């Protein structure tokens, strides 16, 4: 079967358009039959961070064809009937899918192989599995990284070396399927509203990631309404509540109703894109809430989550992401989820969603505390005073010198990740690194309510 090695570059942090693409088609013996690269007019703005990566700007592609035109005229026939190979293939294919969706088109089901994933599971000893690092390990001269043609050639040579070393075979492919992505214009809201709606979007994806919505999973939406109940009169929230109540009224969430929820929440994904990794983490939180809502995880759900995570490269350096992703990879080695593996995944989900579950005894005298959120016992100053009166110390930030991070019982609408913020996330990362810092809820301090 023919193979197509390809790479795309994107103009902005939304990763839903293409500004450059290269494709190399070979026969089964890796003899090159087709090799081209194209500039693409994405009909969208360029972000500086993207331009710094690949060196392209709107001026460079102003006279180039659109992706839809290029796909119809040439690339569709190149990809058709081939096994597609790329480094982080799920990401590149998701960009192609989203770019086609701009014109109402869809990528056909595509058999693919990911050299990044092969490298991660091949026994190569490396802390870096990006394309330049793997090329260096194999002694391959990459050329200019993030030049689409150079990266496609690099991927071909990496695959060639992997096949020589018997690290890869074509019976270990996956299938990329068109997603339900629909282009949407961003709305202008503050970061807190955007975070809540991004969480809702992830939740809607999560409950139906296996193409089914079971009645037990409806509680995920009910929980979302409970968490944001204080904002029910806010215009955006009141609209979301009305939609969810109508969807849940008959106890069945039909596919078109799930798309209604996605369609409502989707514009908020682009509302605050100053930090793509934060937005992606918020969406991930919703995803795992939705998947774990019924306390059951099947193979389709686990693989769907892995595919989503593979296509969100902005999170690759995040320790919370790595914690979930590595567990998923271990579970899916045999593409089966046993009862023990399901329990392990749910434990990881729980630790990420609600990290403040430490119920052990709390020593105050001689210990240091960092406070986060709003407290039932009074203002943060009141709580700090109570801790200091019992011989404890209160710090402003989270570090290895802190013994406890205390989560206020009222939570906060400023939390970046729904049920907690950056202080708790920093503490979680320190815990993963072996630091004995503890995350507790306010109730563990046994302070009198205000």
């Amino acid at each position: 079967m023919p193979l197509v090695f390809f790479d795309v570059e994107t103009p902005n942090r939304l990763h839903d358009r293409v500004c450059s693409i290269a494709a190399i088609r070979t026969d089964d013996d890796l003899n090159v039959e087709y090799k081209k690269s194209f500039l693409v007019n994405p009909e969208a703005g360029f972000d500086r961070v993207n331009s710094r990566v690949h060196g392209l700007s709107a001026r460079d592609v102003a006279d180039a064809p659109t992706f839809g035109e290029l796909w119809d005229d040439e690339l569709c026939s190149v990809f058709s009937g081939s096994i597609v190979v790329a480094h982080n293939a799920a990401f590149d294919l998701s960009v192609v899918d989203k770019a086609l969706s701009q014109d109402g088109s869809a990528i056909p089901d595509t058999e693919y192989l990911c050299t990044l994933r092969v490298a991660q599971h091949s026994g190569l000893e490396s802390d870096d599995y990006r394309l330049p690092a793997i090329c260096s390990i194999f002694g391959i001269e990459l050329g200019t990284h993030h030049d689409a043609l150079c990266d496609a050639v690099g991927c071909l040579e990496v695959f060639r070396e992997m096949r020589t070393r018997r690290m890869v075979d074509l019976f270990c492919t996956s299938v990329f399927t068109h997603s339900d992505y629909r282009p949407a214009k961003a709305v202008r809201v503050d970061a807190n509203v955007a975070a809540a709606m991004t969480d809702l979007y992830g939740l809607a994806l999560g409950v139906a990631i296996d193409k089914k919505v079971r009645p037990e999973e409806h509680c995920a939406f009910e929980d979302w309404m409970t968490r944001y109940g204080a904002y029910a009169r806010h215009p955006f929230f009141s609209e979301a509540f009305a939609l969810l109540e109508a969807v849940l009224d008959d106890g069945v969430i039909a596919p078109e109703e799930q798309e209604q929820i996605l369609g409502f929440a989707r514009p908020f994904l682009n509302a605050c894109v100053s930090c793509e990794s934060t937005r992606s983490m918020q969406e991930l939180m919703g995803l795992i809430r939705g998947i774990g809502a019924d306390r059951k995880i099947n193979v389709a759900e686990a693989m769907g989550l892995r595919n989503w995570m593979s296509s969100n490269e902005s999170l690759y350096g995040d320790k919370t992401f790595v914690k979930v992703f590595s567990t998923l990879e271990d579970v899916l080695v045999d593409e089966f989820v046993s009862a023990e593996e399901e329990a392990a995944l749910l434990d990881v989900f729980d630790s990420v969603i609600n990290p403040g579950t430490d119920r052990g005894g709390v020593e105050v005298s001689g210990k240091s505390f960092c406070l986060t959120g709003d407290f039932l016992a009074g203002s943060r100053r009141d709580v700090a005073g109570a801790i200091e009166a019992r011989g404890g110390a209160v710090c402003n930030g989270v570090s290895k010198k802190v013994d406890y991070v205390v989560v206020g019982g009222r939570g906060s609408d400023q939390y970046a990740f729904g049920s907690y913020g950056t202080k708790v996330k920093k503490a979680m990362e320190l815990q993963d690194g072996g630091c004995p810092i503890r995350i507790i809820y306010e109730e563990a301090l046994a302070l009198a309510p205000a």
Side-chain angles (χ1 to χ4, degrees), residues 195-266:
M197 298 305 173
T198 299
D199 181 53
L200 177 61
Y201 181 85
L203 198 65
L205 284 181
V207 297
I209 202 165
D210 60 348
K211 308 301 181 184
K212 299 176 183 178
V213 182
R214 287 169 289 279
E216 312 91 86
E217 295 175 316
H218 296 187
C219 64
F221 295 110
E222 294 165 354
D223 175 67
W224 187 90
M225 289 191 285
T226 300
R227 280 190 287 126
Y228 295 104
Y231 306 100
R233 294 186 179 182
H234 184 287
F236 287 117
F237 282 93
S238 63
E239 189 175 349
F241 277 43
L243 172 60
L244 292 176
E245 288 168 354
V247 166
L248 297 173
D249 184 56
D250 61 357
V252 176
I253 301 179
E256 60 270 19
E257 291 176 321
Q258 191 242 5
E259 179 54 37
Q260 278 184 296
I261 299 171
L262 290 170
F264 174 84
R266 188 175 288 116

Side-chain angles (χ1 to χ4, degrees), residues 37-92:
S37 65
F38 304 89
L39 293 179
V40 181
N41 185 343
E43 299 182 299
F46 279 69
D47 287 343
R48 289 181 182 177
V49 64
N50 293 64
S51 291
R52 283 198 298 269
V53 167
H54 50 57
L56 298 174
S57 67
R59 180 178 299 177
D60 296 319
V61 300
D63 297 325
T66 66
F67 188 73
E69 293 168 343
L70 192 60
W71 182 262
D72 290 342
D73 291 344
E74 188 159 348
L75 289 179
C76 182
S77 61
V78 173
F79 278 68
S80 180
S82 303
I83 294 176
V84 170
V85 186
H87 203 73
N88 195 12
F91 170 77
D92 289 73

Side-chain angles (χ1 to χ4, degrees), residues 18 81 139 213 253-254 267 309 311 324 345 355 361 368 419:
V18 175
V213 182
I253 301 179
M309 297 181 80
S311 67
V324 177
L345 270 176
S368 59
S419 58

Side-chain angles (χ1 to χ4, degrees), residues 319-369:
K319 292 183 179 179
T320 300
F321 174 95
V322 171
K323 183 178 181 179
V324 177
F325 192 75
S326 61
T327 305
L328 272 173
E329 292 284 76
D330 290 342
V331 166
L332 289 172
V333 166
D334 57 358
E335 297 193 356
F336 176 77
V337 180
S338 68
E340 294 78 10
E341 290 170 333
E342 179 184 63
L345 270 176
L346 288 171
D347 284 345
V348 171
F349 286 4
D350 291 343
S351 71
V352 170
I353 297 170
N354 294 304
T357 55
D358 188 332
R359 303 298 182 188
V362 177
E363 299 177 56
V364 177
S365 181
K367 301 296 183 180
S368 59
F369 296 77

Side-chain angles (χ1 to χ4, degrees), residues 306-321:
R306 184 180 67 180
N307 288 342
W308 183 94
M309 297 181 80
S310 295
S311 67
N312 280 267
E313 62 178 6
S314 66
L315 296 178
Y316 281 9
D318 186 280
K319 292 183 179 179
T320 300
F321 174 95

